[in-house]
Amino acid sequence: MDARRCIGSGMCVLTADEVFDQDADGRAVVLRPEPPAATRDAVRAAVELCPAAAIGLSTDR
Ligand code: SF4
């Protein structure tokens, strides 16, 4: 997650609230850098829905 790109839309939190939250300034924070498999679809959707392209998902692990 690139906080410099984040515009605080909150889409990631709405889509995957187990993995993302927003700080006091509205910027996204990652709660779980290595999200469990059960959240993978939600995280993938959050990546696709982020209007600022601020989130990436590594599938190498
Ligand atoms: S969806 Fe993207 S722009 Fe919106 S809060 Fe999350 S990281 Fe930031």
Side-chain angles (χ1 to χ4, degrees), residues 5-57:
R5 297 181 67 105
C6 177
I7 59 171
S9 70
M11 288 302 297
C12 56
V13 181
L14 290 171
T15 307
D17 63 357
E18 290 182 51
V19 178
F20 300 102
D21 200 354
Q22 285 174 282
D23 66 17
D25 295 325
R27 288 218 171 107
V29 293
V30 178
L31 301 175
R32 305 183 76 169
E34 297 188 19
T39 65
R40 174 89 25 136
D41 286 349
V43 171
R44 205 180 306 275
V47 170
E48 292 175 6
L49 290 169
C50 175
I55 312 170
L57 175 64

mmCIF file of all heavy atoms in Angstrom, residues 5-57:
data_model
loop_
_atom_site.group_PDB
_atom_site.id
_atom_site.type_symbol
_atom_site.label_atom_id
_atom_site.label_comp_id
_atom_site.label_asym_id
_atom_site.label_seq_id
_atom_site.Cartn_x
_atom_site.Cartn_y
_atom_site.Cartn_z
ATOM 1 N N ARG A 5 -0.088 7.754 -2.418
ATOM 2 C CA ARG A 5 -1.099 7.789 -3.488
ATOM 3 C C ARG A 5 -2.511 7.811 -2.939
ATOM 4 O O ARG A 5 -3.447 8.219 -3.622
ATOM 5 C CB ARG A 5 -0.938 6.568 -4.392
ATOM 6 C CG ARG A 5 0.377 6.511 -5.120
ATOM 7 C CD ARG A 5 0.421 5.277 -5.997
ATOM 8 N NE ARG A 5 -0.521 5.352 -7.084
ATOM 9 C CZ ARG A 5 -0.184 5.588 -8.355
ATOM 10 N NH1 ARG A 5 1.063 5.742 -8.669
ATOM 11 N NH2 ARG A 5 -1.096 5.645 -9.285
ATOM 12 N N CYS A 6 -2.699 7.323 -1.727
ATOM 13 C CA CYS A 6 -4.039 7.174 -1.138
ATOM 14 C C CYS A 6 -4.764 8.514 -1.074
ATOM 15 O O CYS A 6 -4.218 9.508 -0.608
ATOM 16 C CB CYS A 6 -3.907 6.577 0.264
ATOM 17 S SG CYS A 6 -5.484 6.426 1.124
ATOM 18 N N ILE A 7 -6.019 8.519 -1.541
ATOM 19 C CA ILE A 7 -6.828 9.739 -1.490
ATOM 20 C C ILE A 7 -7.941 9.628 -0.443
ATOM 21 O O ILE A 7 -8.816 10.472 -0.357
ATOM 22 C CB ILE A 7 -7.439 10.060 -2.876
ATOM 23 C CG1 ILE A 7 -8.326 8.901 -3.360
ATOM 24 C CG2 ILE A 7 -6.349 10.385 -3.885
ATOM 25 C CD1 ILE A 7 -9.133 9.231 -4.616
ATOM 26 N N GLY A 8 -7.907 8.538 0.331
ATOM 27 C CA GLY A 8 -8.830 8.403 1.447
ATOM 28 C C GLY A 8 -10.264 8.100 1.086
ATOM 29 O O GLY A 8 -11.185 8.460 1.817
ATOM 30 N N SER A 9 -10.469 7.435 -0.035
ATOM 31 C CA SER A 9 -11.846 7.146 -0.453
ATOM 32 C C SER A 9 -12.524 6.118 0.435
ATOM 33 O O SER A 9 -13.746 6.066 0.521
ATOM 34 C CB SER A 9 -11.862 6.640 -1.898
ATOM 35 O OG SER A 9 -11.285 5.342 -1.969
ATOM 36 N N GLY A 10 -11.729 5.268 1.073
ATOM 37 C CA GLY A 10 -12.289 4.270 1.983
ATOM 38 C C GLY A 10 -12.806 3.007 1.320
ATOM 39 O O GLY A 10 -13.351 2.134 1.987
ATOM 40 N N MET A 11 -12.631 2.902 0.017
ATOM 41 C CA MET A 11 -13.128 1.705 -0.678
ATOM 42 C C MET A 11 -12.487 0.423 -0.134
ATOM 43 O O MET A 11 -13.142 -0.608 -0.017
ATOM 44 C CB MET A 11 -12.868 1.815 -2.183
ATOM 45 C CG MET A 11 -13.754 2.814 -2.894
ATOM 46 S SD MET A 11 -15.518 2.460 -2.694
ATOM 47 C CE MET A 11 -15.628 0.879 -3.492
ATOM 48 N N CYS A 12 -11.214 0.485 0.186
ATOM 49 C CA CYS A 12 -10.531 -0.722 0.680
ATOM 50 C C CYS A 12 -11.115 -1.155 2.020
ATOM 51 O O CYS A 12 -11.270 -2.349 2.275
ATOM 52 C CB CYS A 12 -9.028 -0.472 0.786
ATOM 53 S SG CYS A 12 -8.573 0.929 1.819
ATOM 54 N N VAL A 13 -11.449 -0.198 2.864
ATOM 55 C CA VAL A 13 -12.017 -0.521 4.175
ATOM 56 C C VAL A 13 -13.413 -1.111 4.015
ATOM 57 O O VAL A 13 -13.779 -2.086 4.677
ATOM 58 C CB VAL A 13 -12.046 0.733 5.082
ATOM 59 C CG1 VAL A 13 -12.601 0.393 6.451
ATOM 60 C CG2 VAL A 13 -10.654 1.334 5.196
ATOM 61 N N LEU A 14 -14.183 -0.549 3.108
ATOM 62 C CA LEU A 14 -15.524 -1.068 2.855
ATOM 63 C C LEU A 14 -15.473 -2.477 2.265
ATOM 64 O O LEU A 14 -16.352 -3.293 2.512
ATOM 65 C CB LEU A 14 -16.274 -0.143 1.886
ATOM 66 C CG LEU A 14 -16.680 1.219 2.447
ATOM 67 C CD1 LEU A 14 -17.217 2.105 1.325
ATOM 68 C CD2 LEU A 14 -17.708 1.064 3.547
ATOM 69 N N THR A 15 -14.426 -2.748 1.510
ATOM 70 C CA THR A 15 -14.318 -4.027 0.808
ATOM 71 C C THR A 15 -13.653 -5.107 1.644
ATOM 72 O O THR A 15 -14.050 -6.272 1.582
ATOM 73 C CB THR A 15 -13.523 -3.833 -0.500
ATOM 74 O OG1 THR A 15 -14.117 -2.769 -1.242
ATOM 75 C CG2 THR A 15 -13.530 -5.088 -1.350
ATOM 76 N N ALA A 16 -12.656 -4.743 2.428
ATOM 77 C CA ALA A 16 -11.903 -5.729 3.210
ATOM 78 C C ALA A 16 -11.521 -5.134 4.565
ATOM 79 O O ALA A 16 -10.365 -4.793 4.817
ATOM 80 C CB ALA A 16 -10.659 -6.157 2.435
ATOM 81 N N ASP A 17 -12.511 -5.024 5.440
ATOM 82 C CA ASP A 17 -12.261 -4.337 6.713
ATOM 83 C C ASP A 17 -11.420 -5.153 7.694
ATOM 84 O O ASP A 17 -10.992 -4.639 8.717
ATOM 85 C CB ASP A 17 -13.570 -3.882 7.358
ATOM 86 C CG ASP A 17 -14.493 -5.028 7.730
ATOM 87 O OD1 ASP A 17 -14.161 -6.194 7.434
ATOM 88 O OD2 ASP A 17 -15.554 -4.753 8.328
ATOM 89 N N GLU A 18 -11.193 -6.418 7.393
ATOM 90 C CA GLU A 18 -10.269 -7.201 8.235
ATOM 91 C C GLU A 18 -8.819 -6.851 7.933
ATOM 92 O O GLU A 18 -7.939 -7.100 8.748
ATOM 93 C CB GLU A 18 -10.447 -8.706 7.987
ATOM 94 C CG GLU A 18 -11.736 -9.284 8.505
ATOM 95 C CD GLU A 18 -11.792 -10.781 8.251
ATOM 96 O OE1 GLU A 18 -10.826 -11.477 8.619
ATOM 97 O OE2 GLU A 18 -12.773 -11.234 7.673
ATOM 98 N N VAL A 19 -8.605 -6.280 6.768
ATOM 99 C CA VAL A 19 -7.227 -6.064 6.299
ATOM 100 C C VAL A 19 -6.852 -4.582 6.280
ATOM 101 O O VAL A 19 -5.699 -4.228 6.506
ATOM 102 C CB VAL A 19 -7.051 -6.673 4.900
ATOM 103 C CG1 VAL A 19 -5.644 -6.437 4.361
ATOM 104 C CG2 VAL A 19 -7.352 -8.169 4.939
ATOM 105 N N PHE A 20 -7.841 -3.707 6.036
ATOM 106 C CA PHE A 20 -7.556 -2.281 5.917
ATOM 107 C C PHE A 20 -8.349 -1.472 6.933
ATOM 108 O O PHE A 20 -9.463 -1.832 7.316
ATOM 109 C CB PHE A 20 -7.917 -1.776 4.510
ATOM 110 C CG PHE A 20 -7.163 -2.443 3.402
ATOM 111 C CD1 PHE A 20 -7.770 -3.435 2.644
ATOM 112 C CD2 PHE A 20 -5.851 -2.104 3.114
ATOM 113 C CE1 PHE A 20 -7.085 -4.067 1.618
ATOM 114 C CE2 PHE A 20 -5.155 -2.732 2.091
ATOM 115 C CZ PHE A 20 -5.770 -3.715 1.350
ATOM 116 N N ASP A 21 -7.756 -0.347 7.331
ATOM 117 C CA ASP A 21 -8.450 0.637 8.159
ATOM 118 C C ASP A 21 -7.993 2.004 7.665
ATOM 119 O O ASP A 21 -7.155 2.100 6.770
ATOM 120 C CB ASP A 21 -8.111 0.424 9.643
ATOM 121 C CG ASP A 21 -9.133 1.070 10.567
ATOM 122 O OD1 ASP A 21 -10.045 1.777 10.073
ATOM 123 O OD2 ASP A 21 -9.018 0.887 11.778
ATOM 124 N N GLN A 22 -8.560 3.058 8.233
ATOM 125 C CA GLN A 22 -8.136 4.406 7.867
ATOM 126 C C GLN A 22 -7.643 5.121 9.107
ATOM 127 O O GLN A 22 -8.226 4.965 10.200
ATOM 128 C CB GLN A 22 -9.297 5.193 7.249
ATOM 129 C CG GLN A 22 -9.615 4.763 5.833
ATOM 130 C CD GLN A 22 -10.847 5.444 5.287
ATOM 131 O OE1 GLN A 22 -11.952 5.043 5.631
ATOM 132 N NE2 GLN A 22 -10.672 6.435 4.438
ATOM 133 N N ASP A 23 -6.585 5.934 8.949
ATOM 134 C CA ASP A 23 -6.071 6.686 10.087
ATOM 135 C C ASP A 23 -6.881 7.971 10.267
ATOM 136 O O ASP A 23 -7.861 8.212 9.543
ATOM 137 C CB ASP A 23 -4.561 6.939 9.932
ATOM 138 C CG ASP A 23 -4.228 7.855 8.761
ATOM 139 O OD1 ASP A 23 -5.128 8.554 8.250
ATOM 140 O OD2 ASP A 23 -3.043 7.874 8.369
ATOM 141 N N ALA A 24 -6.464 8.798 11.204
ATOM 142 C CA ALA A 24 -7.218 10.008 11.525
ATOM 143 C C ALA A 24 -7.300 10.976 10.346
ATOM 144 O O ALA A 24 -8.211 11.793 10.273
ATOM 145 C CB ALA A 24 -6.577 10.706 12.728
ATOM 146 N N ASP A 25 -6.342 10.873 9.421
ATOM 147 C CA ASP A 25 -6.353 11.733 8.235
ATOM 148 C C ASP A 25 -7.124 11.119 7.073
ATOM 149 O O ASP A 25 -7.207 11.711 5.997
ATOM 150 C CB ASP A 25 -4.915 12.015 7.783
ATOM 151 C CG ASP A 25 -4.142 12.815 8.813
ATOM 152 O OD1 ASP A 25 -4.762 13.682 9.472
ATOM 153 O OD2 ASP A 25 -2.936 12.564 8.972
ATOM 154 N N GLY A 26 -7.651 9.907 7.270
ATOM 155 C CA GLY A 26 -8.418 9.242 6.218
ATOM 156 C C GLY A 26 -7.591 8.346 5.334
ATOM 157 O O GLY A 26 -8.116 7.669 4.454
ATOM 158 N N ARG A 27 -6.278 8.347 5.535
ATOM 159 C CA ARG A 27 -5.415 7.493 4.706
ATOM 160 C C ARG A 27 -5.529 6.044 5.162
ATOM 161 O O ARG A 27 -5.654 5.744 6.349
ATOM 162 C CB ARG A 27 -3.957 7.934 4.817
ATOM 163 C CG ARG A 27 -3.709 9.244 4.097
ATOM 164 C CD ARG A 27 -2.360 9.217 3.418
ATOM 165 N NE ARG A 27 -2.218 10.390 2.562
ATOM 166 C CZ ARG A 27 -1.433 11.414 2.876
ATOM 167 N NH1 ARG A 27 -0.732 11.385 3.977
ATOM 168 N NH2 ARG A 27 -1.353 12.433 2.065
ATOM 169 N N ALA A 28 -5.450 5.157 4.190
ATOM 170 C CA ALA A 28 -5.558 3.740 4.502
ATOM 171 C C ALA A 28 -4.328 3.250 5.257
ATOM 172 O O ALA A 28 -3.208 3.717 5.024
ATOM 173 C CB ALA A 28 -5.716 2.950 3.210
ATOM 174 N N VAL A 29 -4.557 2.336 6.162
ATOM 175 C CA VAL A 29 -3.479 1.626 6.841
ATOM 176 C C VAL A 29 -3.758 0.130 6.686
ATOM 177 O O VAL A 29 -4.908 -0.301 6.642
ATOM 178 C CB VAL A 29 -3.364 2.008 8.330
ATOM 179 C CG1 VAL A 29 -2.916 3.443 8.481
ATOM 180 C CG2 VAL A 29 -4.673 1.792 9.061
ATOM 181 N N VAL A 30 -2.697 -0.623 6.589
ATOM 182 C CA VAL A 30 -2.826 -2.067 6.436
ATOM 183 C C VAL A 30 -2.771 -2.709 7.823
ATOM 184 O O VAL A 30 -1.783 -2.592 8.538
ATOM 185 C CB VAL A 30 -1.706 -2.627 5.542
ATOM 186 C CG1 VAL A 30 -1.829 -4.140 5.421
ATOM 187 C CG2 VAL A 30 -1.757 -1.981 4.162
ATOM 188 N N LEU A 31 -3.849 -3.370 8.181
ATOM 189 C CA LEU A 31 -3.903 -4.041 9.479
ATOM 190 C C LEU A 31 -3.192 -5.384 9.428
ATOM 191 O O LEU A 31 -2.588 -5.811 10.406
ATOM 192 C CB LEU A 31 -5.362 -4.269 9.898
ATOM 193 C CG LEU A 31 -6.239 -3.026 10.040
ATOM 194 C CD1 LEU A 31 -7.677 -3.444 10.350
ATOM 195 C CD2 LEU A 31 -5.693 -2.110 11.128
ATOM 196 N N ARG A 32 -3.287 -6.065 8.291
ATOM 197 C CA ARG A 32 -2.722 -7.411 8.154
ATOM 198 C C ARG A 32 -1.915 -7.487 6.859
ATOM 199 O O ARG A 32 -2.488 -7.754 5.792
ATOM 200 C CB ARG A 32 -3.842 -8.443 8.170
ATOM 201 C CG ARG A 32 -4.709 -8.310 9.416
ATOM 202 C CD ARG A 32 -5.765 -9.362 9.483
ATOM 203 N NE ARG A 32 -5.183 -10.634 9.878
ATOM 204 C CZ ARG A 32 -5.901 -11.705 10.218
ATOM 205 N NH1 ARG A 32 -7.207 -11.650 10.197
ATOM 206 N NH2 ARG A 32 -5.316 -12.814 10.567
ATOM 207 N N PRO A 33 -0.619 -7.233 6.949
ATOM 208 C CA PRO A 33 0.218 -7.257 5.746
ATOM 209 C C PRO A 33 0.224 -8.616 5.041
ATOM 210 O O PRO A 33 0.455 -8.681 3.835
ATOM 211 C CB PRO A 33 1.614 -6.930 6.283
ATOM 212 C CG PRO A 33 1.379 -6.267 7.594
ATOM 213 C CD PRO A 33 0.115 -6.850 8.138
ATOM 214 N N GLU A 34 -0.006 -9.666 5.802
ATOM 215 C CA GLU A 34 -0.101 -10.999 5.198
ATOM 216 C C GLU A 34 -1.501 -11.544 5.467
ATOM 217 O O GLU A 34 -1.712 -12.353 6.372
ATOM 218 C CB GLU A 34 0.973 -11.918 5.758
ATOM 219 C CG GLU A 34 2.375 -11.436 5.427
ATOM 220 C CD GLU A 34 3.448 -12.423 5.812
ATOM 221 O OE1 GLU A 34 3.132 -13.605 6.006
ATOM 222 O OE2 GLU A 34 4.599 -11.996 5.929
ATOM 223 N N PRO A 35 -2.487 -11.061 4.700
ATOM 224 C CA PRO A 35 -3.883 -11.432 4.962
ATOM 225 C C PRO A 35 -4.126 -12.925 4.797
ATOM 226 O O PRO A 35 -3.520 -13.564 3.933
ATOM 227 C CB PRO A 35 -4.674 -10.631 3.929
ATOM 228 C CG PRO A 35 -3.700 -10.213 2.908
ATOM 229 C CD PRO A 35 -2.357 -10.177 3.543
ATOM 230 N N PRO A 36 -4.969 -13.492 5.636
ATOM 231 C CA PRO A 36 -5.270 -14.918 5.525
ATOM 232 C C PRO A 36 -5.963 -15.234 4.206
ATOM 233 O O PRO A 36 -6.583 -14.366 3.581
ATOM 234 C CB PRO A 36 -6.195 -15.184 6.718
ATOM 235 C CG PRO A 36 -6.716 -13.863 7.134
ATOM 236 C CD PRO A 36 -5.705 -12.842 6.723
ATOM 237 N N ALA A 37 -5.865 -16.493 3.808
ATOM 238 C CA ALA A 37 -6.413 -16.919 2.517
ATOM 239 C C ALA A 37 -7.896 -16.597 2.397
ATOM 240 O O ALA A 37 -8.376 -16.268 1.306
ATOM 241 C CB ALA A 37 -6.169 -18.407 2.333
ATOM 242 N N ALA A 38 -8.618 -16.652 3.498
ATOM 243 C CA ALA A 38 -10.061 -16.406 3.464
ATOM 244 C C ALA A 38 -10.398 -14.979 3.039
ATOM 245 O O ALA A 38 -11.513 -14.709 2.603
ATOM 246 C CB ALA A 38 -10.675 -16.705 4.833
ATOM 247 N N THR A 39 -9.440 -14.074 3.166
ATOM 248 C CA THR A 39 -9.692 -12.682 2.792
ATOM 249 C C THR A 39 -9.148 -12.356 1.405
ATOM 250 O O THR A 39 -9.272 -11.230 0.941
ATOM 251 C CB THR A 39 -9.057 -11.711 3.806
ATOM 252 O OG1 THR A 39 -7.634 -11.843 3.758
ATOM 253 C CG2 THR A 39 -9.550 -11.982 5.217
ATOM 254 N N ARG A 40 -8.552 -13.334 0.738
ATOM 255 C CA ARG A 40 -7.857 -13.067 -0.529
ATOM 256 C C ARG A 40 -8.776 -12.443 -1.587
ATOM 257 O O ARG A 40 -8.390 -11.483 -2.241
ATOM 258 C CB ARG A 40 -7.255 -14.364 -1.051
ATOM 259 C CG ARG A 40 -6.626 -14.258 -2.410
ATOM 260 C CD ARG A 40 -5.172 -13.873 -2.483
ATOM 261 N NE ARG A 40 -4.381 -14.154 -1.349
ATOM 262 C CZ ARG A 40 -3.172 -14.686 -1.398
ATOM 263 N NH1 ARG A 40 -2.684 -15.060 -2.537
ATOM 264 N NH2 ARG A 40 -2.450 -14.829 -0.331
ATOM 265 N N ASP A 41 -10.004 -12.950 -1.732
ATOM 266 C CA ASP A 41 -10.913 -12.398 -2.741
ATOM 267 C C ASP A 41 -11.265 -10.944 -2.419
ATOM 268 O O ASP A 41 -11.339 -10.101 -3.319
ATOM 269 C CB ASP A 41 -12.187 -13.235 -2.840
ATOM 270 C CG ASP A 41 -11.954 -14.569 -3.539
ATOM 271 O OD1 ASP A 41 -10.864 -14.757 -4.129
ATOM 272 O OD2 ASP A 41 -12.846 -15.433 -3.478
ATOM 273 N N ALA A 42 -11.493 -10.663 -1.129
ATOM 274 C CA ALA A 42 -11.839 -9.295 -0.730
ATOM 275 C C ALA A 42 -10.655 -8.359 -0.964
ATOM 276 O O ALA A 42 -10.832 -7.222 -1.427
ATOM 277 C CB ALA A 42 -12.255 -9.264 0.738
ATOM 278 N N VAL A 43 -9.455 -8.837 -0.668
ATOM 279 C CA VAL A 43 -8.274 -8.002 -0.882
ATOM 280 C C VAL A 43 -8.074 -7.757 -2.380
ATOM 281 O O VAL A 43 -7.771 -6.637 -2.808
ATOM 282 C CB VAL A 43 -7.020 -8.648 -0.267
ATOM 283 C CG1 VAL A 43 -5.757 -7.897 -0.668
ATOM 284 C CG2 VAL A 43 -7.143 -8.703 1.256
ATOM 285 N N ARG A 44 -8.269 -8.793 -3.173
ATOM 286 C CA ARG A 44 -8.141 -8.631 -4.628
ATOM 287 C C ARG A 44 -9.162 -7.597 -5.130
ATOM 288 O O ARG A 44 -8.839 -6.766 -5.974
ATOM 289 C CB ARG A 44 -8.367 -9.970 -5.323
ATOM 290 C CG ARG A 44 -7.705 -10.070 -6.678
ATOM 291 C CD ARG A 44 -7.977 -11.414 -7.318
ATOM 292 N NE ARG A 44 -7.635 -12.551 -6.496
ATOM 293 C CZ ARG A 44 -6.430 -13.091 -6.412
ATOM 294 N NH1 ARG A 44 -5.450 -12.577 -7.110
ATOM 295 N NH2 ARG A 44 -6.199 -14.132 -5.640
ATOM 296 N N ALA A 45 -10.382 -7.644 -4.608
ATOM 297 C CA ALA A 45 -11.409 -6.665 -5.004
ATOM 298 C C ALA A 45 -10.997 -5.266 -4.569
ATOM 299 O O ALA A 45 -11.184 -4.300 -5.319
ATOM 300 C CB ALA A 45 -12.753 -7.052 -4.385
ATOM 301 N N ALA A 46 -10.413 -5.151 -3.376
ATOM 302 C CA ALA A 46 -9.978 -3.838 -2.896
ATOM 303 C C ALA A 46 -8.900 -3.261 -3.800
ATOM 304 O O ALA A 46 -8.895 -2.057 -4.096
ATOM 305 C CB ALA A 46 -9.461 -3.948 -1.457
ATOM 306 N N VAL A 47 -7.993 -4.113 -4.259
ATOM 307 C CA VAL A 47 -6.947 -3.669 -5.181
ATOM 308 C C VAL A 47 -7.586 -3.120 -6.455
ATOM 309 O O VAL A 47 -7.218 -2.054 -6.957
ATOM 310 C CB VAL A 47 -5.989 -4.829 -5.513
ATOM 311 C CG1 VAL A 47 -5.055 -4.458 -6.657
ATOM 312 C CG2 VAL A 47 -5.190 -5.229 -4.271
ATOM 313 N N GLU A 48 -8.573 -3.835 -6.969
ATOM 314 C CA GLU A 48 -9.205 -3.431 -8.228
ATOM 315 C C GLU A 48 -10.065 -2.173 -8.065
ATOM 316 O O GLU A 48 -10.190 -1.379 -8.993
ATOM 317 C CB GLU A 48 -10.055 -4.580 -8.767
ATOM 318 C CG GLU A 48 -9.208 -5.754 -9.216
ATOM 319 C CD GLU A 48 -10.041 -6.959 -9.634
ATOM 320 O OE1 GLU A 48 -11.277 -6.839 -9.676
ATOM 321 O OE2 GLU A 48 -9.439 -8.010 -9.900
ATOM 322 N N LEU A 49 -10.664 -1.995 -6.880
ATOM 323 C CA LEU A 49 -11.580 -0.876 -6.672
ATOM 324 C C LEU A 49 -10.882 0.410 -6.229
ATOM 325 O O LEU A 49 -11.488 1.482 -6.303
ATOM 326 C CB LEU A 49 -12.631 -1.259 -5.626
ATOM 327 C CG LEU A 49 -13.649 -2.314 -6.069
ATOM 328 C CD1 LEU A 49 -14.466 -2.795 -4.873
ATOM 329 C CD2 LEU A 49 -14.552 -1.754 -7.145
ATOM 330 N N CYS A 50 -9.656 0.306 -5.769
ATOM 331 C CA CYS A 50 -8.965 1.515 -5.277
ATOM 332 C C CYS A 50 -8.845 2.531 -6.411
ATOM 333 O O CYS A 50 -8.211 2.256 -7.436
ATOM 334 C CB CYS A 50 -7.585 1.150 -4.748
ATOM 335 S SG CYS A 50 -6.634 2.620 -4.258
ATOM 336 N N PRO A 51 -9.436 3.714 -6.258
ATOM 337 C CA PRO A 51 -9.423 4.700 -7.345
ATOM 338 C C PRO A 51 -8.057 5.338 -7.560
ATOM 339 O O PRO A 51 -7.847 5.998 -8.576
ATOM 340 C CB PRO A 51 -10.457 5.735 -6.884
ATOM 341 C CG PRO A 51 -10.458 5.624 -5.400
ATOM 342 C CD PRO A 51 -10.192 4.169 -5.095
ATOM 343 N N ALA A 52 -7.148 5.137 -6.629
ATOM 344 C CA ALA A 52 -5.822 5.759 -6.737
ATOM 345 C C ALA A 52 -4.733 4.755 -7.091
ATOM 346 O O ALA A 52 -3.555 5.117 -7.129
ATOM 347 C CB ALA A 52 -5.474 6.453 -5.424
ATOM 348 N N ALA A 53 -5.127 3.510 -7.330
ATOM 349 C CA ALA A 53 -4.150 2.450 -7.607
ATOM 350 C C ALA A 53 -3.049 2.444 -6.549
ATOM 351 O O ALA A 53 -1.866 2.348 -6.863
ATOM 352 C CB ALA A 53 -3.576 2.599 -9.012
ATOM 353 N N ALA A 54 -3.476 2.552 -5.302
ATOM 354 C CA ALA A 54 -2.512 2.657 -4.203
ATOM 355 C C ALA A 54 -2.216 1.318 -3.539
ATOM 356 O O ALA A 54 -1.370 1.255 -2.645
ATOM 357 C CB ALA A 54 -3.048 3.635 -3.149
ATOM 358 N N ILE A 55 -2.911 0.259 -3.965
ATOM 359 C CA ILE A 55 -2.756 -1.037 -3.306
ATOM 360 C C ILE A 55 -2.250 -2.070 -4.305
ATOM 361 O O ILE A 55 -2.703 -2.102 -5.453
ATOM 362 C CB ILE A 55 -4.100 -1.549 -2.744
ATOM 363 C CG1 ILE A 55 -4.823 -0.471 -1.943
ATOM 364 C CG2 ILE A 55 -3.879 -2.783 -1.863
ATOM 365 C CD1 ILE A 55 -6.246 -0.851 -1.578
ATOM 366 N N GLY A 56 -1.354 -2.902 -3.852
ATOM 367 C CA GLY A 56 -0.892 -4.021 -4.656
ATOM 368 C C GLY A 56 -0.979 -5.290 -3.843
ATOM 369 O O GLY A 56 -0.956 -5.257 -2.608
ATOM 370 N N LEU A 57 -1.070 -6.407 -4.534
ATOM 371 C CA LEU A 57 -1.154 -7.698 -3.862
ATOM 372 C C LEU A 57 -0.067 -8.602 -4.418
ATOM 373 O O LEU A 57 -0.038 -8.870 -5.615
ATOM 374 C CB LEU A 57 -2.531 -8.327 -4.086
ATOM 375 C CG LEU A 57 -2.743 -9.742 -3.540
ATOM 376 C CD1 LEU A 57 -2.622 -9.746 -2.019
ATOM 377 C CD2 LEU A 57 -4.097 -10.280 -3.972
#
